[in-house]
mmCIF file of all heavy atoms in Angstrom:
data_model
loop_
_atom_site.group_PDB
_atom_site.id
_atom_site.type_symbol
_atom_site.label_atom_id
_atom_site.label_comp_id
_atom_site.label_asym_id
_atom_site.label_seq_id
_atom_site.Cartn_x
_atom_site.Cartn_y
_atom_site.Cartn_z
ATOM 1 N N ALA Y 1 13.657 -1.884 -4.062
ATOM 2 C CA ALA Y 1 14.185 -0.534 -3.883
ATOM 3 C C ALA Y 1 15.604 -0.570 -3.300
ATOM 4 O O ALA Y 1 16.503 0.105 -3.780
ATOM 5 C CB ALA Y 1 13.255 0.268 -2.979
ATOM 6 N N VAL Y 2 15.801 -1.390 -2.277
ATOM 7 C CA VAL Y 2 17.137 -1.501 -1.674
ATOM 8 C C VAL Y 2 18.107 -2.139 -2.666
ATOM 9 O O VAL Y 2 19.235 -1.694 -2.835
ATOM 10 C CB VAL Y 2 17.065 -2.326 -0.371
ATOM 11 C CG1 VAL Y 2 18.479 -2.629 0.145
ATOM 12 C CG2 VAL Y 2 16.281 -1.564 0.699
ATOM 13 N N GLY Y 3 17.653 -3.206 -3.347
ATOM 14 C CA GLY Y 3 18.519 -3.918 -4.276
ATOM 15 C C GLY Y 3 18.955 -3.064 -5.468
ATOM 16 O O GLY Y 3 20.054 -3.252 -5.989
ATOM 17 N N LEU Y 4 18.117 -2.146 -5.893
ATOM 18 C CA LEU Y 4 18.444 -1.298 -7.041
ATOM 19 C C LEU Y 4 18.936 0.094 -6.664
ATOM 20 O O LEU Y 4 18.980 0.995 -7.477
ATOM 21 C CB LEU Y 4 17.229 -1.193 -7.975
ATOM 22 C CG LEU Y 4 16.796 -2.498 -8.628
ATOM 23 C CD1 LEU Y 4 15.616 -2.292 -9.546
ATOM 24 C CD2 LEU Y 4 17.957 -3.122 -9.428
ATOM 25 N N GLY Y 5 19.285 0.230 -5.381
ATOM 26 C CA GLY Y 5 20.037 1.421 -4.990
ATOM 27 C C GLY Y 5 19.248 2.632 -4.590
ATOM 28 O O GLY Y 5 19.813 3.739 -4.577
ATOM 29 N N VAL Y 6 17.965 2.503 -4.278
ATOM 30 C CA VAL Y 6 17.217 3.651 -3.756
ATOM 31 C C VAL Y 6 17.685 3.898 -2.323
ATOM 32 O O VAL Y 6 17.690 2.981 -1.495
ATOM 33 C CB VAL Y 6 15.703 3.381 -3.779
ATOM 34 C CG1 VAL Y 6 14.941 4.558 -3.170
ATOM 35 C CG2 VAL Y 6 15.247 3.152 -5.211
ATOM 36 N N GLU Y 7 18.105 5.118 -2.041
ATOM 37 C CA GLU Y 7 18.704 5.425 -0.759
ATOM 38 C C GLU Y 7 17.668 5.708 0.316
ATOM 39 O O GLU Y 7 16.618 6.272 0.063
ATOM 40 C CB GLU Y 7 19.637 6.632 -0.901
ATOM 41 C CG GLU Y 7 20.827 6.377 -1.857
ATOM 42 C CD GLU Y 7 21.715 7.596 -1.977
ATOM 43 O OE1 GLU Y 7 21.366 8.660 -1.398
ATOM 44 O OE2 GLU Y 7 22.761 7.489 -2.658
ATOM 45 N N ASN Y 8 18.032 5.328 1.552
ATOM 46 C CA ASN Y 8 17.262 5.655 2.756
ATOM 47 C C ASN Y 8 15.808 5.184 2.685
ATOM 48 O O ASN Y 8 14.873 5.901 3.085
ATOM 49 C CB ASN Y 8 17.303 7.160 3.006
ATOM 50 C CG ASN Y 8 18.715 7.690 3.150
ATOM 51 O OD1 ASN Y 8 19.535 7.102 3.831
ATOM 52 N ND2 ASN Y 8 18.996 8.815 2.511
ATOM 53 N N VAL Y 9 15.589 3.989 2.141
ATOM 54 C CA VAL Y 9 14.218 3.462 2.013
ATOM 55 C C VAL Y 9 13.623 3.273 3.426
ATOM 56 O O VAL Y 9 14.291 2.763 4.328
ATOM 57 C CB VAL Y 9 14.253 2.103 1.279
ATOM 58 C CG1 VAL Y 9 12.842 1.537 1.149
ATOM 59 C CG2 VAL Y 9 14.857 2.271 -0.095
ATOM 60 N N ILE Y 10 12.358 3.642 3.595
ATOM 61 C CA ILE Y 10 11.715 3.474 4.890
ATOM 62 C C ILE Y 10 11.545 2.000 5.197
ATOM 63 O O ILE Y 10 11.590 1.145 4.308
ATOM 64 C CB ILE Y 10 10.356 4.211 4.934
ATOM 65 C CG1 ILE Y 10 9.395 3.641 3.891
ATOM 66 C CG2 ILE Y 10 10.533 5.691 4.716
ATOM 67 C CD1 ILE Y 10 7.982 4.245 3.966
ATOM 68 N N GLY Y 11 11.335 1.664 6.465
ATOM 69 C CA GLY Y 11 11.281 0.279 6.901
ATOM 70 C C GLY Y 11 10.128 -0.501 6.289
ATOM 71 O O GLY Y 11 9.086 0.063 5.910
ATOM 72 N N VAL Y 12 10.280 -1.813 6.247
ATOM 73 C CA VAL Y 12 9.275 -2.664 5.643
ATOM 74 C C VAL Y 12 7.961 -2.632 6.410
ATOM 75 O O VAL Y 12 6.875 -2.747 5.839
ATOM 76 C CB VAL Y 12 9.791 -4.115 5.492
ATOM 77 C CG1 VAL Y 12 9.979 -4.766 6.868
ATOM 78 C CG2 VAL Y 12 8.879 -4.941 4.616
ATOM 79 N N LEU Y 13 8.022 -2.448 7.749
ATOM 80 C CA LEU Y 13 6.798 -2.369 8.535
ATOM 81 C C LEU Y 13 6.020 -1.095 8.184
ATOM 82 O O LEU Y 13 4.773 -1.099 8.094
ATOM 83 C CB LEU Y 13 7.095 -2.390 10.022
ATOM 84 C CG LEU Y 13 7.254 -3.778 10.678
ATOM 85 C CD1 LEU Y 13 7.589 -3.612 12.148
ATOM 86 C CD2 LEU Y 13 5.992 -4.606 10.497
ATOM 87 N N ASP Y 14 6.741 0.010 7.973
ATOM 88 C CA ASP Y 14 6.066 1.257 7.559
ATOM 89 C C ASP Y 14 5.437 1.087 6.193
ATOM 90 O O ASP Y 14 4.292 1.504 5.969
ATOM 91 C CB ASP Y 14 7.065 2.413 7.537
ATOM 92 C CG ASP Y 14 7.455 2.886 8.934
ATOM 93 O OD1 ASP Y 14 6.738 2.541 9.886
ATOM 94 O OD2 ASP Y 14 8.490 3.567 9.068
ATOM 95 N N LEU Y 15 6.157 0.469 5.271
ATOM 96 C CA LEU Y 15 5.596 0.224 3.937
ATOM 97 C C LEU Y 15 4.373 -0.700 4.032
ATOM 98 O O LEU Y 15 3.389 -0.514 3.319
ATOM 99 C CB LEU Y 15 6.658 -0.403 3.021
ATOM 100 C CG LEU Y 15 7.741 0.518 2.475
ATOM 101 C CD1 LEU Y 15 8.791 -0.270 1.702
ATOM 102 C CD2 LEU Y 15 7.138 1.603 1.573
ATOM 103 N N ALA Y 16 4.470 -1.711 4.891
ATOM 104 C CA ALA Y 16 3.348 -2.657 5.062
ATOM 105 C C ALA Y 16 2.114 -1.930 5.595
ATOM 106 O O ALA Y 16 0.978 -2.179 5.103
ATOM 107 C CB ALA Y 16 3.737 -3.787 5.982
ATOM 108 N N LEU Y 17 2.302 -1.074 6.571
ATOM 109 C CA LEU Y 17 1.166 -0.337 7.129
ATOM 110 C C LEU Y 17 0.492 0.532 6.075
ATOM 111 O O LEU Y 17 -0.733 0.537 5.933
ATOM 112 C CB LEU Y 17 1.616 0.513 8.309
ATOM 113 C CG LEU Y 17 0.544 1.359 9.014
ATOM 114 C CD1 LEU Y 17 -0.599 0.471 9.522
ATOM 115 C CD2 LEU Y 17 1.159 2.159 10.162
ATOM 116 N N VAL Y 18 1.289 1.280 5.310
ATOM 117 C CA VAL Y 18 0.740 2.134 4.275
ATOM 118 C C VAL Y 18 0.072 1.312 3.196
ATOM 119 O O VAL Y 18 -1.033 1.615 2.724
ATOM 120 C CB VAL Y 18 1.849 3.025 3.666
ATOM 121 C CG1 VAL Y 18 1.324 3.798 2.452
ATOM 122 C CG2 VAL Y 18 2.388 3.993 4.704
ATOM 123 N N SER Y 19 0.721 0.211 2.769
ATOM 124 C CA SER Y 19 0.209 -0.610 1.682
ATOM 125 C C SER Y 19 -1.111 -1.289 2.066
ATOM 126 O O SER Y 19 -2.085 -1.254 1.304
ATOM 127 C CB SER Y 19 1.239 -1.666 1.293
ATOM 128 O OG SER Y 19 0.787 -2.461 0.218
ATOM 129 N N VAL Y 20 -1.167 -1.923 3.232
ATOM 130 C CA VAL Y 20 -2.375 -2.640 3.639
ATOM 131 C C VAL Y 20 -3.517 -1.677 3.965
ATOM 132 O O VAL Y 20 -4.641 -1.834 3.494
ATOM 133 C CB VAL Y 20 -2.088 -3.586 4.819
ATOM 134 C CG1 VAL Y 20 -3.381 -4.279 5.273
ATOM 135 C CG2 VAL Y 20 -1.050 -4.640 4.417
ATOM 136 N N ALA Y 21 -3.223 -0.650 4.775
ATOM 137 C CA ALA Y 21 -4.269 0.283 5.175
ATOM 138 C C ALA Y 21 -4.780 1.058 3.959
ATOM 139 O O ALA Y 21 -6.000 1.207 3.760
ATOM 140 C CB ALA Y 21 -3.740 1.241 6.243
ATOM 141 N N GLY Y 22 -3.863 1.577 3.144
ATOM 142 C CA GLY Y 22 -4.264 2.311 1.947
ATOM 143 C C GLY Y 22 -4.988 1.416 0.949
ATOM 144 O O GLY Y 22 -5.953 1.816 0.318
ATOM 145 N N GLY Y 23 -4.485 0.166 0.812
ATOM 146 C CA GLY Y 23 -5.120 -0.765 -0.101
ATOM 147 C C GLY Y 23 -6.533 -1.107 0.298
ATOM 148 O O GLY Y 23 -7.434 -1.185 -0.543
ATOM 149 N N LEU Y 24 -6.762 -1.312 1.597
ATOM 150 C CA LEU Y 24 -8.109 -1.614 2.077
ATOM 151 C C LEU Y 24 -9.048 -0.441 1.861
ATOM 152 O O LEU Y 24 -10.212 -0.614 1.449
ATOM 153 C CB LEU Y 24 -8.074 -1.997 3.559
ATOM 154 C CG LEU Y 24 -7.448 -3.357 3.886
ATOM 155 C CD1 LEU Y 24 -7.335 -3.516 5.395
ATOM 156 C CD2 LEU Y 24 -8.301 -4.487 3.300
ATOM 157 N N LEU Y 25 -8.561 0.771 2.154
ATOM 158 C CA LEU Y 25 -9.392 1.962 1.976
ATOM 159 C C LEU Y 25 -9.820 2.125 0.520
ATOM 160 O O LEU Y 25 -10.995 2.388 0.222
ATOM 161 C CB LEU Y 25 -8.602 3.198 2.445
ATOM 162 C CG LEU Y 25 -9.312 4.546 2.376
ATOM 163 C CD1 LEU Y 25 -10.559 4.523 3.255
ATOM 164 C CD2 LEU Y 25 -8.370 5.661 2.806
ATOM 165 N N ALA Y 26 -8.863 1.961 -0.411
ATOM 166 C CA ALA Y 26 -9.199 2.070 -1.842
ATOM 167 C C ALA Y 26 -10.093 0.932 -2.300
ATOM 168 O O ALA Y 26 -11.017 1.128 -3.114
ATOM 169 C CB ALA Y 26 -7.919 2.097 -2.662
ATOM 170 N N SER Y 27 -9.859 -0.250 -1.767
ATOM 171 C CA SER Y 27 -10.585 -1.441 -2.231
ATOM 172 C C SER Y 27 -12.062 -1.398 -1.853
ATOM 173 O O SER Y 27 -12.905 -1.958 -2.570
ATOM 174 C CB SER Y 27 -9.942 -2.710 -1.677
ATOM 175 O OG SER Y 27 -8.645 -2.872 -2.203
ATOM 176 N N VAL Y 28 -12.389 -0.762 -0.748
ATOM 177 C CA VAL Y 28 -13.811 -0.662 -0.360
ATOM 178 C C VAL Y 28 -14.590 0.040 -1.467
ATOM 179 O O VAL Y 28 -15.699 -0.400 -1.863
ATOM 180 C CB VAL Y 28 -13.945 0.125 0.962
ATOM 181 C CG1 VAL Y 28 -15.394 0.500 1.234
ATOM 182 C CG2 VAL Y 28 -13.402 -0.696 2.123
ATOM 183 N N VAL Y 29 -14.027 1.115 -2.025
ATOM 184 C CA VAL Y 29 -14.714 1.866 -3.087
ATOM 185 C C VAL Y 29 -14.792 1.035 -4.374
ATOM 186 O O VAL Y 29 -15.853 0.933 -5.018
ATOM 187 C CB VAL Y 29 -13.989 3.187 -3.361
ATOM 188 C CG1 VAL Y 29 -14.664 3.953 -4.495
ATOM 189 C CG2 VAL Y 29 -13.940 4.029 -2.083
ATOM 190 N N VAL Y 30 -13.663 0.429 -4.757
ATOM 191 C CA VAL Y 30 -13.635 -0.310 -6.021
ATOM 192 C C VAL Y 30 -14.521 -1.566 -5.952
ATOM 193 O O VAL Y 30 -15.193 -1.923 -6.912
ATOM 194 C CB VAL Y 30 -12.186 -0.684 -6.403
ATOM 195 C CG1 VAL Y 30 -12.132 -1.384 -7.758
ATOM 196 C CG2 VAL Y 30 -11.317 0.572 -6.435
ATOM 197 N N LEU Y 31 -14.510 -2.243 -4.798
ATOM 198 C CA LEU Y 31 -15.355 -3.420 -4.611
ATOM 199 C C LEU Y 31 -16.831 -3.031 -4.744
ATOM 200 O O LEU Y 31 -17.614 -3.723 -5.433
ATOM 201 C CB LEU Y 31 -15.106 -4.046 -3.262
ATOM 202 C CG LEU Y 31 -16.024 -5.212 -2.860
ATOM 203 C CD1 LEU Y 31 -15.913 -6.361 -3.840
ATOM 204 C CD2 LEU Y 31 -15.717 -5.689 -1.431
ATOM 205 N N GLY Y 32 -17.211 -1.935 -4.105
ATOM 206 C CA GLY Y 32 -18.595 -1.486 -4.198
ATOM 207 C C GLY Y 32 -19.003 -1.194 -5.637
ATOM 208 O O GLY Y 32 -20.104 -1.563 -6.075
ATOM 209 N N ALA Y 33 -18.105 -0.536 -6.396
ATOM 210 C CA ALA Y 33 -18.417 -0.246 -7.788
ATOM 211 C C ALA Y 33 -18.553 -1.507 -8.618
ATOM 212 O O ALA Y 33 -19.429 -1.600 -9.496
ATOM 213 C CB ALA Y 33 -17.327 0.659 -8.373
ATOM 214 N N THR Y 34 -17.689 -2.485 -8.392
ATOM 215 C CA THR Y 34 -17.749 -3.760 -9.152
ATOM 216 C C THR Y 34 -19.065 -4.486 -8.880
ATOM 217 O O THR Y 34 -19.679 -5.033 -9.772
ATOM 218 C CB THR Y 34 -16.535 -4.643 -8.795
ATOM 219 O OG1 THR Y 34 -15.333 -3.895 -8.956
ATOM 220 C CG2 THR Y 34 -16.514 -5.863 -9.687
ATOM 221 N N ILE Y 35 -19.480 -4.505 -7.606
ATOM 222 C CA ILE Y 35 -20.756 -5.162 -7.265
ATOM 223 C C ILE Y 35 -21.924 -4.429 -7.913
ATOM 224 O O ILE Y 35 -22.859 -5.067 -8.453
ATOM 225 C CB ILE Y 35 -20.926 -5.234 -5.749
ATOM 226 C CG1 ILE Y 35 -19.867 -6.170 -5.152
ATOM 227 C CG2 ILE Y 35 -22.325 -5.729 -5.378
ATOM 228 C CD1 ILE Y 35 -19.859 -6.219 -3.643
ATOM 229 N N LEU Y 36 -21.884 -3.096 -7.903
ATOM 230 C CA LEU Y 36 -22.944 -2.323 -8.556
ATOM 231 C C LEU Y 36 -22.994 -2.599 -10.050
ATOM 232 O O LEU Y 36 -24.080 -2.668 -10.643
ATOM 233 C CB LEU Y 36 -22.734 -0.834 -8.289
ATOM 234 C CG LEU Y 36 -23.041 -0.352 -6.859
ATOM 235 C CD1 LEU Y 36 -22.707 1.127 -6.725
ATOM 236 C CD2 LEU Y 36 -24.511 -0.586 -6.506
#
């Protein structure tokens, strides 16, 4: 995003928190469906 000119990108720690927390929340559902 920074390299291709997206302005005012939020910090990498904020992105990491959203990515990991959101990813885990979504993955719980998808993992359960795959096991079923």
Side-chain angles (χ1 to χ4, degrees):
V2 172
L4 295 181
V6 177
E7 297 180 355
N8 303 316
V9 180
I10 61 175
V12 68
L13 275 178
D14 286 343
L15 285 174
L17 179 57
V18 173
S19 182
V20 177
L24 288 173
L25 182 60
S27 294
V28 168
V29 179
V30 184
L31 174 60
T34 307
I35 293 174
L36 288 176

